[in-house]
Amino acid sequence: MQFKRTLLAMLGLAMAAVAQAQGAWPSKPITLVVPFAAGGPTDVVARTLGAAMSKSLGQTVVVENKLGAGGTVAANYVAKAAPDGYTFFIHHNGMATAPALYRKLAFDPLKDFEYVSMAVDVPMTLLARKDFPAKNLQELVAYVKANADKINLANAGLGAVSQLCGMMLENAMGVKLTAVPFQGTAPAMNALLGGQVDILCDQTTQTIPQIKAGNVKFFGVTTKNRIKALPDAPTLHEQGLKDFEVIVWHGIYAPKGTPKGVIEKMNAAVRTALKDPDVMKRMADLGAEISADKQLSPEGLQSWLKAEIDKWGPVIKAGGKFAD
Ligand code: MLT
């Protein structure tokens, strides 16, 4: 009898928590976890969206950077967080590549999350330190091939898009370079600016200001077509790296079990933020494009993620780069 009463009381408390999360949500600040360093490309997207979402939600969206293991530390943290509507996660292609890259992954991207929405697509750019001895892509490829053992390539760890892009460049050039991992491309960019690393493939959301200021050598964009934010910049594809393409997509997730009503309200807040004129201008200036309309739903993100896992799994397994 006592056991039954305790069970009923616990059930009542759980239902009250869910009802509160759905009814008055959000009644306190919301955390948006970013899996890479502050000031870097993912962080820029998160803070831009978070500021706009705070306006429509009436509560602050606090960005929290949880670093490590190419984004998997943060993904695991969010997968295990309370599904109370106050923890969300923004991640990019790394959510789809992690299952193939890591032998032991403590979370399942397809089982441990609720899906809120996709957000923006971001091109990447191939950069080298300012005094790198090459004026264009042809010279860079020739120099890299002749000096592969001396050249290092910065990235943000296994699972980062800078690592994926770097690996694809190595394959395209037929070379193996020394990887220098950082906990985000913000510190990787600092190392490039300081001349401590030679080459970095990184997102326009961080690189456009450095390219425009002339602080780095810039060799082209990773999209098939030229981009509006850098109209004079050639693509790597048009310069001879045939079919080279990397586009960085971003999804917003919540721990599995987050109430459906909360996910719907969060989805509406993301959509409102993406139509905010300040967000649209900042994103356009930084080369980011708002995701296609059909991807701005929980189902849109879920099916895109599944397709990307199916696409990258075999490519990564064939490439043979894994971590435990
Ligand atoms: C970052 O925010 O540092 C990047 O998204 C890391 C990467 O994936 O290259």
Side-chain angles (χ1 to χ4, degrees):
M1 190 60 182
Q2 177 59 34
F3 172 71
K4 201 172 161 192
R5 250 190 247 124
T6 312
L7 201 66
L8 282 173
M10 281 169 67
L11 199 64
L13 279 176
M15 283 167 69
V18 169
Q20 194 197 4
Q22 281 175 328
W25 185 90
S27 60
K28 60 178 186 181
I30 291 166
T31 299
L32 181 58
V33 176
V34 168
F36 297 104
T42 315
D43 188 75
V44 165
V45 171
R47 285 177 200 272
T48 306
L49 284 179
M53 287 163 71
S54 299
K55 285 193 262 169
S56 69
L57 290 168
Q59 286 287 349
T60 311
V61 175
V62 180
V63 169
E64 189 177 325
N65 302 83
K66 278 217 170 284
L67 315 182
T72 58
V73 167
N76 191 36
Y77 169 82
V78 175
K80 310 277 183 299
D84 59 3
Y86 291 94
T87 304
F88 290 86
F89 182 41
I90 183 163
H91 199 3
H92 56 36
N93 312 42
M95 194 72 158
T97 55
L101 287 170
Y102 287 82
R103 284 194 192 91
K104 292 181 211 146
L105 205 60
F107 65 91
D108 184 338
L110 292 174
K111 291 196 181 129
D112 295 340
F113 298 89
E114 301 293 343
Y115 306 93
V116 176
S117 173
M118 285 180 67
V120 287
D121 295 332
V122 180
M124 299 189 82
T125 47
L126 176 57
L127 308 177
R129 61 182 154 79
K130 199 174 173 180
D131 56 354
F132 194 84
K135 286 189 298 298
N136 52 45
L137 184 68
Q138 281 66 36
E139 288 186 16
L140 176 122
V141 172
Y143 188 84
V144 165
K145 283 186 169 175
N147 298 279
D149 56 335
K150 296 187 203 70
I151 293 173
N152 60 44
L153 184 64
N155 68 40
L158 211 54
V161 285
S162 44
Q163 187 269 331
L164 181 72
C165 180
M167 189 182 76
M168 289 168 65
L169 282 167
E170 285 178 318
N171 291 346
M173 294 189 223
V175 292
K176 188 79 211 67
L177 307 176
T178 305
V180 184
F182 294 83
Q183 292 198 320
T185 53
M189 176 62 83
N190 284 339
L192 191 75
L193 296 174
Q196 288 100 35
V197 295
D198 299 311
I199 296 175
L200 171 67
C201 183
D202 194 19
Q203 296 159 71
T204 54
T205 32
Q206 166 160 264
T207 62
I208 282 182
Q210 301 296 353
I211 291 168
K212 289 193 169 162
N215 293 336
V216 289
K217 277 219 172 132
F218 170 43
F219 297 95
V221 293
T222 65
T223 42
K224 281 278 183 68
N225 298 310
R226 292 187 178 205
I227 62 170
K228 283 196 203 103
L230 292 169
D232 300 329
T235 67
L236 298 181
H237 165 71
E238 77 181 64
Q239 294 178 88
L241 293 188
K242 198 140 175 30
D243 293 329
F244 194 96
E245 183 176 38
V246 191
I247 297 172
V248 185
W249 54 271
H250 296 74
I252 297 174
Y253 307 82
K256 187 83 185 169
T258 302
K260 195 164 186 297
V262 167
I263 299 292
E264 281 165 2
K265 287 181 189 167
M266 192 67 175
N267 178 277
V270 175
R271 288 175 188 258
T272 305
L274 291 172
K275 288 194 194 114
D276 181 309
D278 294 342
V279 172
M280 289 172 75
K281 174 159 186 351
R282 181 147 167 76
M283 289 301 159
D285 288 349
L286 293 178
E289 273 194 23
I290 310 301
S291 304
D293 215 45
K294 68 176 190 308
Q295 296 174 326
L296 297 181
S297 67
E299 300 73 31
L301 169 58
Q302 188 174 14
S303 56
W304 178 261
L305 175 68
K306 166 99 182 55
E308 285 282 286
I309 290 174
D310 293 346
K311 171 178 159 186
W312 287 107
V315 178
I316 291 165
K317 284 188 176 132
K321 270 197 185 171
F322 310 108
D324 283 333

